[in-house]
Amino acid sequence: MRWVWLALAIWGALHPMRWFIVWFAQNGYSMSGLFAAWRANPATTGLMWDATIAAVALTLWILMEVRVRRNWEALAAIPATFLIGVGCGLPLYLFLRTRPL
């Protein structure tokens, strides 16, 4: 199962990135434009907040477990979550968490 987590982390990094690349190609590289698109309508705003809350919850879970398990490698999932997305960060954390200690 461990390798399934890694495959999902890779998919969670690459597949959403494809859509961001398409958006940037159509709209130019504008982070403010991207943030505005996330607030374009109630559906996208809801999805943005859903992902943000999930990212915060995952971060807190990682920090609490790393404190107990001393699996410092698992901290790599935090920047992956905020720089790539929860679709990458969560399965990456599960991959790192299930490694033999």
Side-chain angles (χ1 to χ4, degrees):
M1 189 68 191
R2 183 166 194 261
W3 297 105
V4 171
W5 300 133
L6 181 59
L8 287 171
I10 293 168
W11 184 25
L14 296 179
H15 190 80
M17 194 59 59
R18 175 182 179 268
W19 298 105
F20 285 119
I21 291 168
V22 168
W23 189 89
F24 285 128
Q26 293 173 348
N27 299 285
Y29 185 75
S30 167
M31 292 307 288
S32 62
L34 183 61
F35 292 136
W38 288 343
R39 294 184 311 272
N41 61 58
T44 57
T45 301
L47 286 171
M48 186 241 349
W49 280 109
D50 183 60
T52 301
I53 292 166
V56 170
L58 175 59
T59 299
L60 293 173
W61 179 31
I62 292 169
L63 291 173
M64 293 300 104
E65 283 219 338
V66 164
R67 192 171 138 214
V68 172
R69 295 172 55 115
R70 303 285 189 239
N71 181 7
W72 306 113
E73 227 176 50
L75 289 172
I78 294 173
T81 298
F82 286 97
L83 297 174
I84 302 170
V86 177
C88 175
L90 175 59
L92 177 62
Y93 175 66
L94 294 172
F95 171 75
L96 295 171
R97 183 180 187 272
T98 55
R99 79 174 173 86
L101 295 175

